[in-house]
Amino acid sequence: MKKLIIRALAGLLASVLLVVGVALVGNMPNGKRTDGVFYQASGIHPDATLMTVNKQSVSAEEYLYWLAYDCDYLTSYMGSVDFDAAVSGSLTYGQYAQEDAQRTVVLYAVVRQWAQQAGITLSEESQAQLDAQRQQYVTYYGGEEGYAQQLELMGLTDEGFQQINQVYFLYSELYKAYCTAGGALRPSDEDITAFAQSGGYCTFLPLYWSITGDETTDAATLAQAQDAVARLRSAEDVTAAYLQIAQEMALQASETGETAAAQDLDTSVAAVLTALAEGQVSDVVTTANGYYVFVGQALNTDAVLDKMFNAKLDAMRESAGIRYNCRSYDKLDVARFYTKLQTLRSQLQSANAGSSDTAPQS
């Protein structure tokens, strides 16, 4: 899940959307623990309730882990980062990191809540995989002591790290229950059809050629696209012909094709696809960036279910009610926090001479 959040800065900025229902309150537990690099870097007790999501507590330890994760990512992507500097308008890098950490902990919280509401827990297989994953870390870092040293660098207890990792498996269990035939959460066929129709979803086999702006080159490219149309229309097995052409063009392709909503497509492409029958080959479609040829396919219900699942999860995250513990949260200054955190990590690494300086990431 979080791996999906690793992305280029332009994509990062495009994703910054404040979750609705945010409020600052002061009547949440402030915690008592004084261990770990997060407490030393922020002055916030790791067991404090830093925020609630739909009244479910999120610990400072979990939030600060994701905040540090985002700061690490920005630093690795950009080099040195001034977290007080503006990244876009009045938004600073520090504020961006805070908002992205918020979005992550909210996502994790709603996954936990959805699983609880649905009565879904980890299967024996998932629990075994989670246990095996922990053992892999222990082995990689040379035993329990080395593993504990890496967790110390991350600012997490073993229990906290496992609770974070557990969400990946809960997500998988929810996905199976929602998207598998006979799954406990699978929508009705009528609901799937209604979702597909409302979004204008269609499934297709695509071919694509870039437009360069050079008249001679683009004329030759257009001729290739038109030749592909002719080959597809004359083929006895259109799918096989499509896969052959895609291979010749070094395009990644499969016979399952792609499924997309009309609103996510170029208007000229959407107009063609919505009118394309199964097995029908389109004419060459010209857009500002390239030439396209499509083969119509029967709607891929599995792909629609995947999009329904993610749309539901997005809606749950964006409608979540969030409250922050102002007594703890107001202490947080990202630039100071991350500077101190880097210093503390350096000191720990020196103290743990001989251990790897790479922490396990979820």
Side-chain angles (χ1 to χ4, degrees):
M1 291 164 56
K2 182 63 180 181
K3 291 178 181 177
L4 299 177
I5 302 174
I6 298 177
R7 52 205 180 265
L9 184 58
L12 288 171
L13 296 177
S15 75
V16 174
L17 299 171
L18 288 175
V19 182
V20 300
V22 176
L24 292 173
V25 295
N27 59 348
M28 298 181 192
N30 288 319
K32 295 181 179 179
R33 283 174 47 197
T34 57
D35 59 293
V37 292
F38 289 157
Y39 177 75
Q40 295 176 66
S42 68
I44 300 172
H45 298 285
D47 57 339
T49 295
L50 192 63
M51 59 187 291
T52 62
V53 179
N54 297 329
K55 300 183 180 181
Q56 180 186 93
S57 295
V58 175
S59 71
E61 180 178 313
E62 183 172 358
Y63 176 87
L64 292 174
Y65 167 74
W66 290 119
L67 178 62
Y69 188 106
D70 281 307
C71 291
D72 286 340
Y73 174 74
L74 287 170
T75 301
S76 67
Y77 180 79
M78 301 178 60
S80 179
V81 177
D82 179 357
F83 286 95
D84 290 326
V87 60
S88 177
S90 61
L91 181 74
T92 67
Y93 284 99
Q95 289 170 329
Y96 163 72
Q98 287 179 281
E99 291 176 9
D100 196 63
Q102 173 190 287
R103 285 178 61 79
T104 303
V105 296
V106 170
L107 173 61
Y108 275 56
V110 297
V111 167
R112 292 179 180 120
Q113 291 166 11
W114 190 10
Q116 184 178 25
Q117 292 163 4
I120 289 177
T121 57
L122 295 189
S123 65
E124 290 184 7
E125 180 183 2
S126 291
Q127 184 61 55
Q129 289 176 344
L130 181 61
D131 294 341
Q133 182 185 65
R134 183 190 183 281
Q135 186 56 48
Q136 286 175 347
Y137 285 136
V138 171
T139 301
Y140 181 81
Y141 292 108
E144 291 286 349
E145 183 179 354
Y147 172 64
Q149 289 173 350
Q150 296 305 316
L151 289 177
E152 190 176 17
L153 285 170
M154 295 165 67
L156 293 175
T157 62
D158 188 21
E159 180 183 5
F161 190 45
Q162 295 312 309
Q163 286 176 350
I164 289 172
N165 287 333
Q166 185 184 64
V167 176
Y168 292 84
F169 294 95
L170 286 175
Y171 176 93
S172 178
E173 299 286 355
L174 284 167
Y175 187 89
K176 287 187 289 187
Y178 194 94
C179 298
T180 303
L185 299 177
R186 184 182 173 94
S188 67
D189 291 343
E190 292 77 15
D191 287 341
I192 297 171
T193 299
F195 179 86
Q197 290 177 343
S198 66
Y201 280 91
C202 49
T203 301
F204 50 89
L205 303 175
L207 295 173
Y208 171 74
W209 296 260
S210 297
I211 290 177
T212 65
D214 178 83
E215 185 175 346
T216 302
T217 301
D218 291 342
T221 301
L222 176 59
Q224 292 174 14
Q226 291 169 334
D227 179 65
V229 171
R231 286 177 61 183
L232 288 167
R233 287 177 174 171
S234 62
E236 291 185 10
D237 187 333
V238 177
T239 300
Y242 163 79
L243 293 173
Q244 178 61 40
I245 295 171
Q247 183 178 25
E248 293 168 5
M249 296 173 62
L251 297 176
Q252 289 188 341
S254 72
E255 61 184 23
T256 58
E258 297 181 14
T259 301
Q263 64 185 14
D264 297 329
L265 300 169
D266 182 281
T267 53
S268 59
V269 169
V272 170
L273 287 174
T274 53
L276 203 60
E278 181 179 354
Q280 184 180 3
V281 179
S282 74
D283 294 328
V284 177
V285 181
T286 304
T287 70
N289 298 316
Y291 302 118
Y292 290 87
V293 173
F294 302 103
V295 179
Q297 294 283 88
L299 185 65
N300 185 334
T301 302
D302 290 340
V304 172
L305 272 167
D306 175 86
K307 295 177 186 299
M308 285 184 73
F309 176 83
N310 286 292
K312 181 176 178 64
L313 203 52
D314 285 343
M316 292 172 67
R317 175 170 60 180
E318 292 177 10
S319 64
I322 301 171
R323 290 176 175 247
Y324 275 105
N325 181 348
C326 60
R327 287 178 299 182
S328 294
Y329 189 75
D330 285 351
K331 294 180 182 180
L332 191 55
D333 178 286
V334 176
R336 284 203 303 265
F337 164 73
Y338 191 60
T339 298
K340 288 184 179 180
L341 181 63
Q342 289 176 306
T343 300
L344 291 164
R345 284 170 170 173
S346 240
Q347 292 171 349
L348 280 173
Q349 287 171 334
S350 296
N352 300 331
S355 67
S356 169
D357 63 359
T358 302
Q361 294 290 350
S362 56

